[in-house]
Every structure is written in C-alpha cells, then in structure tokens.
Amino acid sequence: MAVQLNNSPNSVISLHPKRSCRTISHRANAVSLVKAASSNGLQLIKSGKLRPVVPKEAEAIIESEGFVLLDVRPTWEREKAHVAGTPHVPLFLKDEDSSPLTLLKKWVHFGYIGCWTGQQFTTINQDFVQQVEKVIPDKTSKVLVACGEGLRSLMAASRLHECGYRNLGWLAGGFNRAGDGDFKTIEGEEKLQYAAIGGASYYFLKVLIFLQAVGRN
C-alpha cells in the first residue's frame, strides 16, 4: 500500500542524535522523510538494534517474550481488522487541511491513487511519540511495531528508537503478509491481510475470492 505524505510546510523528522527526538526540521520535504526514516530503520536492523519478525512468528514472541504489539496504521485500516487488545497510535492521520494547494493535491491523489486503493490523503502525526509514551510509558518495554505493509512501521520504529525505546521489533512485511491463524483473535469485518485494501481494488479482490470459492466447488 502506498503511503501518502503531506506535510505543509514540508517537514522531516530530525534523525540527528544531538537534537530532541521530537524536533521537526523544515528544510527537507516529505520524500526525504521516508528516505531518512527508512534508511535509519534498515541501519537499526543491520546493527541488531531492531529485530525483524515475520507475522507467523509474532504471536509466539508476544506470548513467550512479552512483546507488546503496537499498531501504527491509520484508524480506517485498523477499524477493518486488528489484533484484539493491542494499543493503537497512528503514524499518519487524515489531512483535514482545506487550503487551495492541499485541495489540489487531494484531487490529484484521488485521481492517481485514492480511487483505486481507497487510501486517504494523509499527514504525519506530529504527536506520535508523545502518544506512544502515554500507552507504553516504560521505554524498556519490548515493542513490536506493525503496520499494513511494513514501511510505516519501519519509520515508526526509527522514531521510537531515536526517542529512547531500545527493545524494538518490526513486523516484517506487515499485516499484509499475515496468514489465517497467525494471530489468535482478530476483531473487525475483514481479514487482517486485507485491511489495507480499499477503493476499486477492494471490489476486484472480492470478485477474485468469489471465483476461487466457486472453482473449489
């Protein structure tokens, strides 16, 4: 699923260790945000500071090692399907700005992406870290960060590490890679792996599922 970013003015999370972990730099654009946070996340994985966990192994480490599964997807994805009892702090929020420039961006976004995927035009949650600190105040806690496809959770894990969380895991591939039964209790109307699918592509998916069911009969 494509991640839509709209920071106005354009901004990027500072990854400089001498600055506050909540510092926002206005010198870089939203694309730089993705590149910087993702690059930092990959470096954390290579250094062993961020533990990649595939969905089929997630439930086991939650139960045996005490990891907390942190869902960072937008609210509309979580409402479709989520692992019961997990904390939710979205990294991206629906962009409510109605300035002419943002309205133009929303129109272009809908024409190229939104109509097909159902994804809304979003902006980064400036209070993400503070909100995580409220639900998981102990920064020594083991936290498994998860989203739909893995990109947003990698960015979120990078921010959390910068702000002092040290026992971090990353759900590699996101919930999209989850299979039936990988997580015991799912709440919502959809399967967990389909929660990020919307728009016209959602109806194509339903048709494919129907045809597969007919083919098995």
Side-chain angles (χ1 to χ4, degrees):
M1 186 201 74
V3 176
Q4 295 303 309
L5 302 175
N6 180 40
N7 293 325
S8 182
N10 289 331
S11 61
V12 64
I13 303 163
S14 170
L15 298 177
H16 196 289
K18 293 184 180 180
R19 295 179 181 175
S20 167
C21 64
R22 300 185 182 91
T23 299
I24 302 296
S25 169
H26 296 282
R27 294 177 298 176
N29 58 28
V31 175
S32 297
L33 168 62
V34 176
K35 290 182 178 179
S38 299
S39 176
N40 191 50
L42 292 174
Q43 290 176 6
L44 291 175
I45 292 174
K46 291 179 180 179
S47 67
K49 296 177 181 178
L50 178 61
R51 177 180 174 181
V53 179
V54 295
K56 66 180 180 180
E57 298 175 355
E59 190 78 29
I61 72 163
I62 290 172
E63 293 184 352
S64 64
E65 300 182 35
F67 271 84
V68 176
L69 181 64
L70 175 64
D71 189 340
V72 301
R73 295 174 299 165
T75 301
W76 53 90
E77 285 186 28
R78 180 175 169 88
E79 288 176 345
K80 291 181 181 179
H82 63 272
V83 180
T86 55
H88 173 235
V89 181
L91 181 62
F92 291 94
L93 305 171
K94 182 179 179 180
D95 192 338
E96 302 290 353
D97 182 32
S98 58
S99 65
L101 179 58
T102 300
L103 290 176
L104 176 61
K105 290 179 179 179
K106 289 180 179 180
W107 181 80
V108 173
H109 163 78
F110 178 79
Y112 281 92
I113 299 175
C115 180
W116 174 252
T117 67
Q119 294 304 312
Q120 301 187 41
F121 196 68
T122 59
T123 185
I124 194 163
N125 179 4
Q126 300 288 344
D127 298 321
F128 173 74
V129 173
Q130 294 93 321
Q131 291 172 3
V132 173
E133 289 172 341
K134 289 181 179 179
V135 296
I136 310 176
D138 184 0
K139 293 188 177 182
T140 65
S141 299
K142 296 179 179 179
V143 183
L144 179 59
V145 190
C147 68
E149 75 301 306
L151 175 59
R152 293 166 295 181
S153 53
L154 190 61
M155 296 170 62
S158 174
R159 290 198 68 185
L160 293 175
H161 184 271
E162 187 179 0
C163 291
Y165 288 86
R166 290 295 179 264
N167 296 314
L168 293 169
W170 168 61
L171 191 68
F175 291 126
N176 291 3
R177 297 291 183 89
D180 295 341
D182 283 350
F183 296 92
K184 290 182 178 179
T185 308
I186 305 299
E187 296 180 348
E189 298 180 354
E190 287 293 340
K191 288 188 176 183
L192 193 58
Q193 57 267 45
Y194 298 154
I197 301 175
S201 60
Y202 173 80
Y203 296 99
F204 276 96
L205 173 65
K206 288 297 184 181
V207 170
L208 288 174
I209 293 174
F210 173 75
L211 292 176
Q212 288 176 351
V214 171
R216 288 194 293 266
N217 294 332

